Amino acid sequence: MKSAKPLLLLLLLSSVPFASIGEELILRVKVISEQAVSEVNLQHEEGVSQHALSKDKAAGVFVGSVPTGALNGIAENSKVVNPYRAVVTWSDNENDQIFLAFRYPVPPMLAVSVYRDISSFKEEDIDAVDKLGSDYESTFKKYFRAKAFHKHWRHTLALEDHYLALRSARIWFDAAVALGKRPVFRMDADVTAIMREYEEKAKTDRRFAERYRKYVPKVGYIEVTIDQVRAAEFDFVGKIPGLLKAGKFDEAKTLNIKAKETLQDAPMEIRKAVEKHQGVNLDLLERNLTSIPN
Amino acid sequence: MATVDLKSDKPRMIAWAERNQNVAVAVAAIFILLYVAPVLLAAAATIQSDFFMEESAVLVWFAAFMKSSEATLGGVHKVLFPFLVTLSVIAFKDKLNYWVLGLAMFVVLMFMLTVWVGVLLDVDQYRHSLEAQKAAKLDASVARTFFSKMQDTLLMYVALLLGLSATNEKR
């Protein structure tokens, strides 16, 4: 028994560094395409960190195990949402991306799919994309196929105002919103810019507006939806009043500090959206700091 | 020497047209309008669909005509021309030249319209935007061939009208 004590102590000590190793993100990227993949990476939005994924030939997916400590900005007292993207670079140097938004705590496992399997760009093809379901996997299918369809009409044919380009943009936008509303994803900046461009054009071009409004009937719908998705990144601020009611003052205060820091850095439109959708603004957070009991 | 009364051998339509020249002019005008209807339809579809950028009911009609250009509608279209030519010769015989020249101008205008639509269908952008439409489902190359044939026919008709005008002038 005497000799067992130092061994137990050694085991306990050795378990300390391994505690952080356990906190890792396993990212699985399933790629569905005839095109060969040259690499798959998890990149920070601002390029400050990059993690390559390796191919699991048996499973036919790209897998990467990233310690959460290695993800930039993922710390308990960090900014709340950390923008990342899973980037699939194809052998023709094109790439496809999934926009991710990690926050503390990072989920242990994330499985995403990238589709590059559309080669015909007629109305029947976008009909088939539109008919896809709204489950997790179908959302990826819709997102990538509608995006590819739109890009073909916009860039290859230079017909960005064609009704099929408008229709595919709307399907792409809806799929991007569906993904963006999920906790680990964020809104696709490309489709946001495209829809805003269409909205602007619809204000000045009556003929275009008639065509565009068949796919986006409500004026202002795009902005409201984008705000909702972006405000969803701040959904944690809505938990503060509940924590206060439950008497969890320390937790409420920590969250309040985080929320205040994040909102201070956020653009005005986001602040307004958070106030509208989460009922929280900077004034309230400021007041909370003095009124939450220690 | 015995003479043959050719008048009595004339087909009924020609005899009727000679007796009712004004009505014949009106019928000829209707025939020409029917003959060029596909061109007018194509031009209207081009404008209505904002150069094929959106779906258009007129475009669907035009596409339907193109699909059956070798069938019923196409057959009717082909039959119109010989009737039109025959009727025109009689209807515009001895008519004032401005009628004939006016009609020739109209036909030339229609010819220009077929050229315009044909050129549009040759532009990759427009061809793609047209061919991708499910409702229209129009093969641009079929439409181009149709317009090309129609251009030949319209020019023949213009030649006929100008010839008729020259004959009227002599008289």
Side-chain angles (χ1 to χ4, degrees), chain A residues 225-292:
Chain A
T225 309
I226 292 168
D227 281 353
Q228 274 176 1
V229 178
R230 295 189 71 181
E233 291 174 8
F234 295 80
D235 60 354
F236 70 98
V237 297
K239 291 176 186 164
I240 296 171
L243 289 170
L244 288 173
K245 271 188 187 173
K248 294 178 179 174
F249 300 124
D250 284 350
E251 211 177 319
K253 200 159 195 169
T254 310
L255 211 53
N256 200 87
I257 291 167
K258 271 193 210 177
K260 189 170 164 268
E261 283 174 1
T262 314
L263 268 188
Q264 269 173 340
D265 293 340
M268 185 54 79
E269 75 223 43
I270 293 295
R271 289 190 207 176
K272 282 181 184 170
V274 171
E275 187 173 354
K276 189 177 168 191
H277 298 288
Q278 314 292 352
V280 176
N281 60 24
L282 273 175
D283 288 344
L284 176 70
L285 295 170
E286 193 69 52
R287 283 201 304 276
N288 280 350
L289 276 181
T290 51
S291 62
I292 296 172

Side-chain angles (χ1 to χ4, degrees), chain B:
Chain B
M1 197 172 164
T3 54
V4 179
D5 185 6
L6 290 173
K7 255 189 175 178
S8 59
D9 292 337
K10 279 180 185 171
R12 275 187 179 179
M13 192 189 93
I14 295 174
W16 171 87
E18 278 180 345
R19 284 197 305 276
N20 307 283
Q21 209 176 11
N22 285 338
V23 182
V25 169
V27 174
I30 292 168
F31 273 26
I32 186 91
L33 279 176
L34 283 175
Y35 188 76
V36 299
V39 192
L40 296 173
L41 213 55
T46 306
I47 305 295
Q48 201 203 20
S49 65
D50 199 7
F51 289 78
F52 317 123
M53 294 297 261
E54 59 191 84
E55 293 162 295
S56 150
V58 185
L59 193 58
V60 173
W61 274 96
F62 174 66
F65 180 83
M66 282 291 105
K67 264 180 221 167
S68 59
S69 62
E70 293 304 317
T72 325
L73 275 173
V76 171
H77 188 250
K78 282 174 192 163
V79 163
L80 276 173
F81 193 69
F83 277 100
L84 173 66
V85 171
T86 314
L87 204 59
S88 300
V89 171
I90 302 156
F92 296 108
K93 195 176 79 178
D94 301 331
K95 278 273 170 193
L96 286 173
N97 265 345
Y98 64 82
W99 274 101
V100 183
L101 289 174
L103 188 67
M105 290 296 287
F106 174 74
V107 176
V108 168
L109 194 70
M110 290 301 109
F111 170 82
M112 299 301 283
L113 215 52
T114 57
V115 172
W116 179 64
V117 179
V119 168
L120 279 185
L121 294 177
D122 250 341
V123 178
D124 275 355
Q125 264 194 342
Y126 297 127
R127 202 183 66 241
H128 285 305
S129 60
L130 184 63
E131 288 182 338
Q133 296 193 22
K134 192 174 68 180
K137 206 83 184 160
L138 180 64
D139 185 343
S141 59
V142 172
R144 275 203 312 274
T145 310
F146 173 80
F147 285 129
S148 176
K149 282 181 189 169
M150 205 164 165
Q151 282 162 14
D152 293 344
T153 315
L154 288 174
L155 284 181
M156 265 166 51
Y157 188 60
V158 172
L160 173 106
L161 289 173
L162 292 178
L164 204 60
S165 164
T167 317
N168 288 348
E169 192 67 33
K170 276 185 181 176
R171 285 176 189 170

Side-chain angles (χ1 to χ4, degrees), chain A residues 6-23:
Chain A
L7 187 64
L8 191 64
L9 190 66
L10 192 68
L11 276 170
L12 279 170
L13 283 171
S14 63
S15 70
V16 174
F18 282 100
S20 61
I21 289 174
E23 289 174 13

Side-chain angles (χ1 to χ4, degrees), chain A residues 121-124 127 153 157-164 207-208 210-211 214-215, chain B residues 47-50 52-55 124-126 128-135 137:
Chain A
F121 303 95
K122 295 195 170 182
E123 195 166 358
E124 297 91 323
D127 281 350
W153 280 87
L157 302 179
L159 288 165
E160 68 269 21
D161 292 347
H162 193 274
Y163 78 98
L164 291 178
R207 192 76 200 258
F208 172 80
E210 281 173 15
R211 186 158 64 246
K214 285 181 190 165
Y215 304 100
Chain B
I47 305 295
Q48 201 203 20
S49 65
D50 199 7
F52 317 123
M53 294 297 261
E54 59 191 84
E55 293 162 295
D124 275 355
Q125 264 194 342
Y126 297 127
H128 285 305
S129 60
L130 184 63
E131 288 182 338
Q133 296 193 22
K134 192 174 68 180
K137 206 83 184 160

Side-chain angles (χ1 to χ4, degrees), chain A residues 14-41:
Chain A
S14 63
S15 70
V16 174
F18 282 100
S20 61
I21 289 174
E23 289 174 13
E24 60 182 13
L25 163 74
I26 296 171
L27 179 63
R28 292 169 69 86
V29 180
K30 187 169 82 175
V31 176
I32 299 96
S33 174
E34 292 289 308
Q35 188 76 37
V37 175
S38 59
E39 58 179 17
V40 180
N41 288 300

Side-chain angles (χ1 to χ4, degrees), chain A residues 3 26 101 110 118 190 236 261:
Chain A
S3 61
I26 296 171
L110 176 64
I118 183 167
D190 287 351
F236 70 98
E261 283 174 1

